Amino acid sequence: MDGVPGAPEQWSPEESAALRFSVLGPVRAWRGAEALPTGSPQQRALLAALLLREGRTATAGELIDALWGDEPPSQALAAVRTYASRLRKVLSPGVLVSESGGYAIRLSDASGPGGPGGTLDVALVQELAADAEKAKAVGDLCHARALLNKALNLWDGEVLANVPGPYAETQRTRLQEWKLQLTETRLDMDLEQGCHAEAVSELTALTAAHPLRERLRELLMLALYRSGRQAEALAAYADTRRLLADELGVDPRPDLQELQQRILQADPGLAEPSAPLAPEVAATPVRPAQLPANVPDFTGRASFVSELSEVLATSEGRVMAVSALAGIGGVGKTTLAVHVAHQSRGIFPDGQLYVDLQGAGARAAEPAAVLGAFLRALGTADSAIPDTLDERAALYRSVLDGRRVLVLLDNARDAAQVRPLLPGTEGCAALVTSRVRMVDLAGAHLVDLDVMSPEEALQLFTKIVGAERVASERQSALDVVAACGFLPLAIRIAASRLAARRTWTVSVLADKLADERRRLDELQAGDLAVKATFELGYGQLEAVQARAFRLLGLADGPDISLAAAAAVLDLPVEEAEDVLESLVDTSLLESAAPGRYRYHDLVRLYARACAERDEQPPGERTSALSRLLDFYLATAAGVYAIERPGDRLVDHLETTEYRGLEFDDGAAALDWLYTEAASLLACVRQSVGTDRQCRAVDLLWAAKDLTESGANSHQYETTARAMCEATRSVGDAHAEGRARTILTDVLLVSGRIEQAEEEARLAMDLAGSAQDATAISWVANNRGLICLHQGRPADGKGFFDQAIELLRAADNRPFEATSLCNLSRAHLGMGNITKAVEIAQRGVAIHAEFGRTVRLANSHYAVGIALHMAGRHSEALGHFSEALGILGDHRQRLWEGTTHFRIAEVHLAARRPAQAAQHAEQALALRCIGGDRMRGNVLTLLGRALSVLGQVDRATACWRDALSLYEGCGAVEAAEVRALLTPATAA
C-alpha cells in the first residue's frame, strides 16, 4: 500500500483523532497528525468518488462506472468490495458504511460518537469561499482576500493526482475550473485594493496558461493600465482579439471591448482602485482619520472658527476650498486648524489627512515623501506608488476624485511646498498653517492669526489652572498672560507649570515673569516673542533637565531615539529616560512614539540658543554631537558585521569612544538601521565641515544597506555628495577617497555607469595617495563591475585580480569571495564558461562558511548566471532560488528583483515563456539593481517571452518602453531593441 506525505500547512496537527481527507492534489487521509495509507490508484479512485458525493450513497454500479467507465474488468464488483473492505479497516469505525447495495462515507462519524467529525479539503474551500463572500459584502476586502488565499492554498498540485477513471477525470476538470474562478475573484479584489503591480505578474502567467479565458485578459488589461502601462494594456487586447479570431472565429466579449474603449479614452473611472469590474458590492474605500487630538480646553477664536468653518462648509460644488492660516510661532495656528477640522469632520465623510511639513526647520518635509504617506493612508499599495513627484501628485488627485476629504497641511514652508499636496478636486478642502502669508497660493482664503485678546488669554489660563485659584488673584493672572505676550503656547506652558505646582500662588508665577532677566522682550515680533515664552519653561527646569534640553536640541533629524539621546547626554539609558520623560511633562519635548522623542521646530531653535548661551564649557556641545556620531557609527558597524560576518571593513573604520547597541539577530539589526535612517543621515550631514567628518564618512559606509535595499537612496546619495565636496575642500585625501568610493556604490546601484566610472577613478587616485588599502580593494572591485557594464570583461578581470590580491593580504575572505564571483562574470564575458562556473562555486564555498548572509545570496546569484551560460538550466534555477530566499530575509528588495530577472532569462532559454514572463513581471514590480538600464533589460526580456506566447502587440509595447529607457541613459542595448521593433513597425 502507498505511504502518505505529511498534512498540508493549512491543517496543523491537532490533539484530536479526527479524520481529514484531501482530494485537491493527491488523494490523502490523516488521523490527527498520522498519515493513513490509501492504497492502489483504483482504491484511491473509490475513496475519492465516495468523498466527493458528500455523504450520499453510491451504488456498486455507479462506483464501477466511476472507476472503469464502459470497459470494466470481469471481476469489477469483487474489486470494489475488496477496496471498500481495505478502506474500512484503515478508517475509523462507522465512517465507510454499506447501505442499499452501495457505499457512503459519513464524515460526521469520522471520530466516533461525540467526536468533532471529519473534514474534506473541498468542504473547507466551500466554507472559506462563502465566508469570503460575506466579508466582501460588508466591505472587508482585506479579510475576504485572506480567506480566498487560504482556500486557494488548499490546492496542492494536480487535482486527484494519478487517480484513474472517467469520474476522476470529470471531477479533475470541475475542481480546476473552480480554482480558476476563485483565483479570478481574488485577483478582482487585488485590483480593488490597488495591488496592480503584484497582480500583473500572476495574471501574465495565468493568461499564458489559459489564453482563451477572457476574464483573465480583462483583469490583466486593467492591472497594466493602473500600473501606468497603457500601451501594454491595449496591446494585450489586440493579442486577445487576434487569438480569438484565429482559434474560435469570434470577437472579444462586450465587457472586454468596453474596457478597451475606456482605456483608449483614459477614463478617469479606471484609475479608481475601487472601480468595479463586475456587478459585485464594491469595497468601502480606506477612510483615513489622521487629525491630531482636539485640545479639550480650546478657548476663544470664535470669529476665526466661524470664518474657517464657513469656507469649509461651502467646499461642495467648488473645485477646492483652501484656507491658509499665517502667524508667528506659538500663536496657535495648529490648535485652531485642528479644532476647525474636527468640527468639520461631518462635511468630509471620506476622511481627513494630516501632516506636519516641518517648514520652520532646516529641512522641510519633501512633498514627494508626504504624497507617498498620503497615498498609503488612502489605501494605495506601496508597489503602486510611482517614484516622481509629478506622478505621485497626479495619482493622489485621482484617488481623491469623487471623495470628500479634508487635508490639513501643518507648518508649511511656502506655497511651492504646498501646491503638490492640494487635492484639486470638487468636494475636497485643504487647511494650511504657516509662519508666512501665502499670497502666492492661488485662490487661497488667507487668514492672519494674531495673539489672543486679554479676555481670551485669561480664559485659557483659567481653564488650565482652575477657576478657584485664578478668582482670588485675578490681577496677578492678568499680569501672567500679559507677560506671556498673550501668545497661546506661552500661556499654556506657564499655566501648566502652575497647575503642576500646588504650593505656588499665581502671584509667585507673576513675580517670576516680571523679572525681565528671565525672559526676552515679549513685545518683539517673530521668533523672539516665541523665545520669550520658552524662556519661562526653561527657567523652571532642574539643572539636569536644562542640560538635557540644551544638548538634545543640537542634534539634527526628525526625532531621536532613547538610546541615541542617552549617548548625547552621556547618561545610562534608564537615567536618560527619566530626564526625557520629565521634559515631556513640561511640554518642552514631545514623545513621538514609545522610546522616541522630538522637539517642536521652534523649541529646537530655542534649545540651541540656550546651548550657545549657557552650556559650559562650550566644548561640551561638540562633545555631545561627537558622542552621538560615535553611537551611530558603533551601532551601524555592528549591523554591518551581522549582515556580513567575517568582513574586515569594520576593523578599518574610525575608532569610537562611545559604545553602540548590540543585537541578537539580523532582523533586529536591520529594524534599527531602517528606523534610524533619517536621523543617522542627518547626523552625517551635520558633521560636514567639522573635525568629525572622517567618522561621518565611515558611518555612511557602514550604513550602505540604506542604498542597496532601495530605502532612503536619494537622501543617502545627497549626503555622500556633500561629504565628497567637504572632504575635498579641506584636502583630506583619506576621507575623500572613502566618500567617493561610497558615491561610486550609489551610482552603480542606480545604473549610472559613466558617472560611477568618473568617481571610481578619483576614488582610486585618492585612496592610493592615502595608502588606504581598504578603499583601494573596494574601488578595484567596483571598477571591475563598471568594466562588465561597459562590455570590457578583460579589463574587468584585471581589476578583480587586483582586488582579490589586496583582500587576501588583508585576510578579508568574505569580500574576496565576492570579488571571485565577480571575476567569474568577467570570465563569462571572455567565453571561459567552465572556469567561470568553477570560480563562482569557490565563492559560494567561502561564503557558506559565514552563514546565510547577503553575500552568500550574491554568490549563488553569480553561480546561477554561470550555470545558465553553460546551459545547465535546472542547476541555475536552484542557485537563483536559494539566493531569493536569503535576499528576502535580508530585505534586499532591489537584489530580489534582479534575481527574478535572471530566473526569467533561464526560463526563456529553457523554452518556458510563461514562467519567464511571470518572473520578469516580478522583477518590474520589485525594481532592480542598475536603474533604468536594467529596467530596459527586463522589459526587453518580457517582450521576448510575450512574443513567443503569441502576445505580439504587448511585446511590442514592452520593447518600445525599453527603447525609451535605453535612449534616455545612452545604453548600447538600444540597437538590439530597434532591431526587434523593425519587423513590428513594418507590419
Side-chain angles (χ1 to χ4, degrees), residues 559-566 580 595-597 631-632 672 676 679:
D559 61 5
I560 191 167
S561 68
L562 174 58
L580 267 59
R596 301 198 72 83
Y597 301 88
F631 166 77
Y632 281 135
W672 178 87
E676 292 291 336
S679 298

Side-chain angles (χ1 to χ4, degrees), residues 207-474:
T207 53
H210 307 280
L212 298 177
R213 199 172 183 94
E214 293 182 70
R215 178 58 175 155
L216 289 174
R217 298 277 183 159
E218 182 180 359
L219 291 167
L220 175 60
M221 288 170 61
L222 187 58
L224 287 167
Y225 179 75
R226 288 184 178 171
S227 300
R229 298 158 70 178
Q230 181 180 9
E232 283 189 66
L234 293 170
Y237 176 81
D239 289 330
T240 304
R241 182 179 59 187
R242 185 177 55 255
L243 179 68
L244 291 173
D246 292 345
E247 296 291 330
L248 304 177
V250 298
D251 290 328
R253 58 191 177 90
D255 288 350
L256 206 56
Q257 296 179 38
E258 180 185 353
L259 179 59
Q260 184 227 14
Q261 289 301 311
R262 293 178 70 188
I263 292 174
L264 283 169
Q265 297 162 8
D267 184 345
L270 291 180
E272 291 286 347
S274 59
L277 297 178
E280 300 172 359
V281 178
T284 302
V286 176
R287 181 182 177 277
Q290 297 184 339
L291 294 178
N294 197 2
V295 294
D297 49 22
F298 180 83
T299 302
R301 308 295 199 187
S303 61
F304 291 112
V305 171
S306 175
E307 179 182 351
L308 291 168
S309 298
E310 184 177 352
V311 172
L312 296 180
T314 60
S315 62
E316 186 171 5
R318 298 172 58 184
V319 172
M320 175 179 49
V322 180
S323 291
L325 287 73
I328 63 171
V331 80
K333 302 181 296 295
T334 298
T335 300
L336 174 60
V338 169
H339 181 76
V340 171
H342 275 284
Q343 283 200 340
S344 304
R345 288 180 64 182
I347 305 172
F348 302 96
D350 297 318
Q352 305 84 39
L353 297 168
Y354 171 85
V355 65
D356 179 1
L357 294 173
Q358 304 177 37
R363 295 179 179 85
E366 293 291 338
V370 175
L371 285 170
F374 278 179
L375 287 167
R376 281 187 284 272
L378 290 164
T380 306
D382 278 352
S383 58
I385 297 175
D387 293 329
T388 68
L389 172 62
D390 289 343
E391 289 176 323
R392 288 186 177 191
L395 178 58
Y396 169 66
R397 292 190 294 270
S398 297
V399 170
L400 288 179
D401 185 40
R403 300 190 191 184
R404 294 185 56 77
V405 173
L406 175 62
V407 182
L408 177 46
L409 305 173
D410 195 16
N411 197 8
R413 178 184 56 201
D414 51 31
Q417 185 189 28
V418 166
R419 289 190 190 100
L421 308 178
L422 297 177
T425 54
E426 180 179 338
C428 290
L431 273 175
V432 184
T433 72
S434 177
R435 293 201 296 175
V436 299
R437 296 187 78 243
M438 295 199 173
V439 294
D440 52 347
L441 191 60
H445 175 80
L446 302 181
V447 175
D448 291 325
L449 194 59
D450 202 352
V451 296
M452 281 182 154
S453 68
E455 293 78 16
E456 289 177 335
L458 185 59
Q459 288 175 20
L460 175 59
F461 185 81
T462 303
K463 283 186 177 181
I464 298 172
V465 173
E468 184 178 347
R469 295 176 76 181
V470 173
S472 60
E473 298 183 90
R474 179 178 174 81

Side-chain angles (χ1 to χ4, degrees), residues 916-935:
Q918 183 177 12
H919 284 280
E921 288 288 0
Q922 289 179 271
L924 289 175
L926 290 166
R927 296 188 296 152
C928 299
I929 295 286
D932 285 348
R933 182 175 181 176
M934 179 58 90
R935 186 172 179 85

Side-chain angles (χ1 to χ4, degrees), residues 421-641:
L421 308 178
L422 297 177
T425 54
E426 180 179 338
C428 290
L431 273 175
V432 184
T433 72
S434 177
R435 293 201 296 175
V436 299
R437 296 187 78 243
M438 295 199 173
V439 294
D440 52 347
L441 191 60
H445 175 80
L446 302 181
V447 175
D448 291 325
L449 194 59
D450 202 352
V451 296
M452 281 182 154
S453 68
E455 293 78 16
E456 289 177 335
L458 185 59
Q459 288 175 20
L460 175 59
F461 185 81
T462 303
K463 283 186 177 181
I464 298 172
V465 173
E468 184 178 347
R469 295 176 76 181
V470 173
S472 60
E473 298 183 90
R474 179 178 174 81
Q475 186 56 51
S476 294
L478 286 171
D479 291 341
V480 169
V481 296
C484 290
F486 307 112
L487 284 167
L489 183 57
I491 295 166
R492 185 174 297 281
I493 292 173
S496 297
R497 288 281 129 219
L498 185 58
R501 288 161 172 77
R502 304 302 300 177
T503 59
W504 282 13
T505 62
V506 180
S507 59
V508 169
L509 178 60
D511 289 342
K512 289 179 178 292
L513 292 176
D515 184 0
E516 293 187 359
R517 293 173 301 175
R518 300 190 61 83
R519 59 180 174 84
L520 299 175
D521 185 354
E522 75 274 7
L523 299 178
Q524 290 186 6
D527 290 348
L528 291 179
V530 177
K531 187 175 181 181
T533 302
F534 296 146
E535 190 75 38
L536 170 66
Y538 178 65
Q540 302 292 332
L541 298 179
E542 304 292 338
V544 66
Q545 292 176 309
R547 174 180 178 269
F549 176 72
R550 294 191 299 268
L551 294 182
L552 290 175
L554 297 173
D556 282 349
D559 61 5
I560 191 167
S561 68
L562 174 58
V568 171
L569 302 177
D570 197 17
L571 291 174
V573 171
E574 294 79 9
E575 291 183 29
E577 184 175 21
D578 289 342
V579 176
L580 267 59
E581 288 297 328
S582 71
L583 287 175
V584 171
D585 291 339
T586 69
S587 299
L588 289 173
L589 190 67
E590 298 176 16
S591 178
R596 301 198 72 83
Y597 301 88
R598 67 186 176 201
Y599 283 103
H600 183 282
D601 46 15
L602 298 177
V603 179
R604 185 198 298 274
L605 293 176
Y606 173 71
R608 289 181 175 180
C610 291
E612 292 176 6
R613 182 188 66 194
D614 302 336
E615 197 60 43
Q616 297 296 331
E620 175 60 9
R621 284 177 279 156
T622 300
S623 297
L625 292 175
S626 181
R627 289 191 296 270
L628 178 62
L629 179 59
D630 273 0
F631 166 77
Y632 281 135
L633 176 53
T635 308
V639 175
Y640 186 98

Side-chain angles (χ1 to χ4, degrees), residues 71-93:
E71 299 180 358
S74 58
Q75 299 299 315
L77 181 58
V80 166
R81 290 171 176 167
T82 299
Y83 300 150
S85 175
R86 291 173 180 171
L87 287 171
R88 189 178 284 114
K89 294 175 182 177
V90 171
L91 305 179
S92 301

